[in-house]
Amino acid sequence: MNLAKLLVAIGATTTGFRRGIAQAGRSVDDLERKVGRMRKGFTGASARLGHFAAIAGRVAVIGLVALTLAIGGVTRASIEYEDAFAGVRKTVSATEPELAQLSKEIRQMATEIPIAATELAHLGESAGALGVPTKNIKEFIRVTALLGVTTDLSAQQAADSLGILGNVLGLTAEDYGRFGSALVALGNAGASTESQIIAIAERMGAAAKLIGISKDKILGFASAVASLGIEPEAAGTALQTFFIKTQKFVAKGGAHLQLFAKTAGLSIGKFRKLFEKAASGALLKFFKGMDKLGTAERLAVLEALGFTDVRITRTLLGLADNSELLTDQLNLGADAWKRNTALTAEAEKRFATTKSQLGMLKNNLLEIAMTLGDAILPVLTPLIKGLNEWVSANHDLIAQIAGQLAGAIVSVVTGISSWVTENRPLIAQLWNLATRALTTIWSVLTTQVIPALFGRGGKGGIIPAVVELGRQIATYVIPKVQAFINTLTTQVIPSVLKVAGPVVGKLLGAFSAIVMALFGSAGAGKGGGGLGKEASGGLVGALGSLA
């Protein structure tokens, strides 16, 4: 279809649309005339409602209630945060300036992550209760909040676990982020979840630190065992027992250490030296050596070392069967700890979702409300105190006001009920009229307006025609316009400039000479009634240059 035919089609399609609109207009005019006839009835009804104005005077106390609700709406967020931060004040030993700074940081953090400031304050309260140093609390809150968003842990679970492990392992503020990154990386890569890994680490962390396993390797051991499907409680206890007994074997020497070293493929001296330098490396060699043995030999080694408990045997045999998994998990945990990017990267993915964006929007709006509330609370607090005192001293007056209010409400309800009873025919007529009008309008919309806009049976319609017009313009017109502009900018304009350049230069030079001739020698024309000989010569020369 070319453009001319398309425009004709659009004009033809709008005919039905105009007819529909005209019919809808006539229906509305009819409705207006009927409503006009009903206006007299409403006038009489309004007169009957006049006595309600007197009743309204008796319920002026509602204004006080409305004011209270408005102030409460603005200050609610501020009051709730103030109450939540009271927990931080209770558990954190800090000066008032330090607490004020921490509060400011918590509220700022809430505008950047989809967790409310009140929840972040509760994490700060947990940090104080768990003995986290004041200088580390901000980072503790940030990491546990992010873990609550990016893992299967809730923020509070992350806070409790990280607080315990922080005390056991001596984690610093910088370590919190690295710990979170290692935990997220291991949880994403393995068959274990973050909650399982951290539960195992909690149980065996102290023993692991005791024998010299580095912080970044502890989570690797926990992830490897969790990936075997062993319950966190059993796995954590088994590793704890294994670590402590191994430390005793190395310290005492003897047959147990000799069997350990032999299984690892090392001499006693080399095994002891490796264990003291990097315990995780020595234990990894032990498990790789166990992996090379048959089932009967493995059981014999464990029995000779005194590891006969079912939970310990199951855990150690599982690690021996999966020594490569243990290697991978140890390396992955160490690398994620060093890079310290996994937690932030995972959080950014979560924050990009619509749900998280809405959460952050809500937090920003709450921050605005809290800011307003902070300004109102210093004024509101003494007002509330005075109001409480007034209420305590005026119980009888309040009871009287309540009685008047109840009577006013009854009067209003009774009046409305009476009016409805007296005007049932009027209400029924209005309802029928509105129903017919809406039915007519709907009929016009569905039978004429909408088909005129969208067509019938996939044919015709203004909107499809306009879309087709746009397609035609995009297909045929716009490319030609673009080609014209391209020709204009790459060929015509450069050619014009090339030819006109010298002429323009002469014009500018002549103009400059004319100005100088007219004004540069203005004194020559004084009393002479003309430009003067010198000025006239310059003007003639300038005009001659254009020739």
Side-chain angles (χ1 to χ4, degrees):
M1 177 187 294
N2 56 35
L3 291 180
K5 291 183 177 179
L6 185 61
L7 291 173
V8 171
I10 290 176
T13 305
T14 57
T15 301
F17 176 74
R18 288 195 298 270
R19 285 199 300 269
I21 293 297
Q23 183 176 343
R26 288 192 296 272
S27 298
V28 171
D29 290 341
D30 181 59
L31 174 62
E32 185 177 1
R33 286 193 298 271
K34 292 179 180 179
V35 170
R37 289 195 298 270
M38 295 171 60
R39 189 173 294 129
K40 294 181 180 179
F42 280 114
T43 301
S46 298
R48 296 187 188 95
L49 293 174
H51 69 281
F52 291 144
I55 298 174
R58 287 179 285 170
V59 294
V61 70
I62 294 176
L64 178 61
V65 175
L67 177 62
T68 303
L69 292 175
I71 294 175
V74 173
T75 58
R76 178 180 176 182
S78 185
I79 292 172
E80 289 181 350
Y81 177 75
E82 181 186 44
D83 184 65
F85 195 76
V88 179
R89 293 181 177 277
K90 177 182 176 182
T91 61
V92 177
S93 299
T95 63
E96 189 58 36
E98 288 174 330
L99 288 171
Q101 179 62 27
L102 179 59
S103 177
K104 181 179 179 181
E105 291 168 344
I106 287 175
R107 286 172 58 165
Q108 177 61 33
M109 195 183 301
T111 65
E112 300 167 355
I113 61 178
I115 295 180
T118 51
E119 294 184 50
L120 297 178
H122 290 315
L123 298 179
E125 179 181 357
S126 297
L130 292 165
V132 177
T134 303
K135 63 180 181 180
N136 294 347
I137 289 179
K138 175 188 174 183
E139 182 64 7
F140 179 90
I141 293 173
R142 186 189 73 86
V143 171
T144 53
L146 293 183
L147 288 174
V149 175
T150 59
T151 70
D152 67 329
L153 291 162
S154 69
Q156 190 59 55
Q157 288 174 326
D160 294 340
S161 297
L162 189 59
I164 293 171
L165 282 169
N167 290 331
V168 171
L169 304 179
L171 299 178
T172 65
E174 183 181 357
D175 289 338
Y176 292 144
R178 297 184 183 280
F179 184 94
S181 290
L183 181 62
V184 168
L186 290 167
N188 287 344
S192 55
T193 64
E194 294 86 357
S195 60
Q196 293 171 332
I197 295 171
I198 206 167
I200 294 173
E202 276 188 63
R203 287 167 174 79
M204 61 80 166
K209 181 186 178 184
L210 177 66
I211 68 173
I213 296 179
S214 59
K215 300 170 186 176
D216 57 323
K217 297 293 196 304
I218 291 175
L219 289 177
F221 267 105
S223 178
V225 176
S227 296
L228 301 177
I230 302 174
E231 298 81 2
E233 295 80 3
T237 302
L239 285 177
Q240 176 180 278
T241 303
F242 173 67
F243 291 155
I244 292 174
K245 282 193 173 185
T246 303
Q247 174 67 36
K248 291 179 179 179
F249 296 156
V250 173
K252 291 183 178 180
H256 286 137
L257 179 58
Q258 184 178 10
L259 180 56
F260 238 108
K262 179 181 178 182
T263 305
L266 299 172
S267 65
I268 292 177
K270 287 185 177 180
F271 183 84
R272 176 182 278 125
K273 184 176 181 179
L274 178 60
F275 186 87
E276 292 173 349
K277 181 180 180 181
S280 59
L283 295 178
L284 182 58
K285 283 189 172 294
F286 171 76
F287 287 117
K288 286 186 174 181
M290 286 275 288
D291 192 20
K292 297 176 183 178
L293 303 177
T295 302
E297 292 176 296
R298 293 179 188 178
L299 292 172
V301 169
L302 294 180
E303 184 176 359
L305 292 173
F307 297 125
T308 56
D309 181 85
V310 174
R311 291 176 299 178
I312 298 176
T313 301
R314 181 187 175 195
T315 300
L316 299 183
L317 288 176
L319 290 174
D321 282 332
N322 296 274
S323 60
E324 290 302 319
L325 170 65
L326 177 59
T327 302
D328 292 341
Q329 296 298 289
L330 291 173
N331 291 337
L332 176 59
D335 183 64
W337 182 285
K338 181 179 179 181
R339 292 177 180 274
N340 192 21
T341 57
L343 178 60
T344 302
E346 187 70 18
E348 288 175 349
K349 294 177 184 177
R350 299 298 177 94
F351 294 168
T353 65
T354 302
K355 180 179 179 181
S356 294
Q357 291 295 317
L358 289 174
M360 285 186 280
L361 174 61
K362 177 182 177 183
N363 288 349
N364 278 277
L365 294 176
L366 285 174
E367 175 58 27
I368 294 173
M370 284 190 285
T371 301
L372 294 174
D374 291 345
I376 295 175
L377 285 183
V379 179
L380 185 62
T381 301
L383 178 63
I384 292 174
K385 181 179 179 181
L387 184 60
N388 286 333
E389 294 174 352
W390 182 86
V391 170
S392 299
N394 292 276
H395 286 297
D396 294 339
L397 177 60
I398 293 172
Q400 182 181 355
I401 292 174
Q404 292 177 347
L405 179 61
I409 293 173
V410 170
S411 298
V412 171
V413 173
T414 302
I416 293 174
S417 177
S418 299
W419 183 87
V420 170
T421 301
E422 294 173 4
N423 293 274
R424 283 180 180 175
L426 178 64
I427 295 172
Q429 183 181 1
L430 180 61
W431 175 258
N432 292 334
L433 179 60
T435 302
R436 289 197 301 272
L438 290 174
T439 301
T440 301
I441 292 172
W442 177 251
S443 176
V444 172
L445 283 174
T446 55
T447 61
Q448 298 187 43
V449 176
I450 294 177
L453 288 173
F454 297 97
R456 300 175 186 271
K459 297 180 180 180
I462 294 175
I463 292 178
V466 171
V467 172
E468 176 62 19
L469 176 61
R471 190 188 68 80
Q472 294 276 357
I473 291 173
T475 303
Y476 300 107
V477 178
I478 291 179
K480 292 182 179 180
V481 172
Q482 290 174 336
F484 171 75
I485 293 173
N486 183 59
T487 302
L488 189 67
T489 56
T490 60
Q491 299 180 35
V492 177
I493 293 177
S495 298
V496 171
L497 291 177
K498 184 176 180 180
V499 174
V503 176
V504 173
K506 285 186 177 183
L507 286 171
L508 291 176
F511 177 75
S512 178
I514 291 169
V515 171
M516 291 299 296
L518 290 173
F519 303 102
S521 303
K526 286 184 178 179
L531 292 172
K533 185 183 294 183
E534 187 176 339
S536 298
L539 179 59
V540 172
L543 294 172
S545 68
L546 297 176

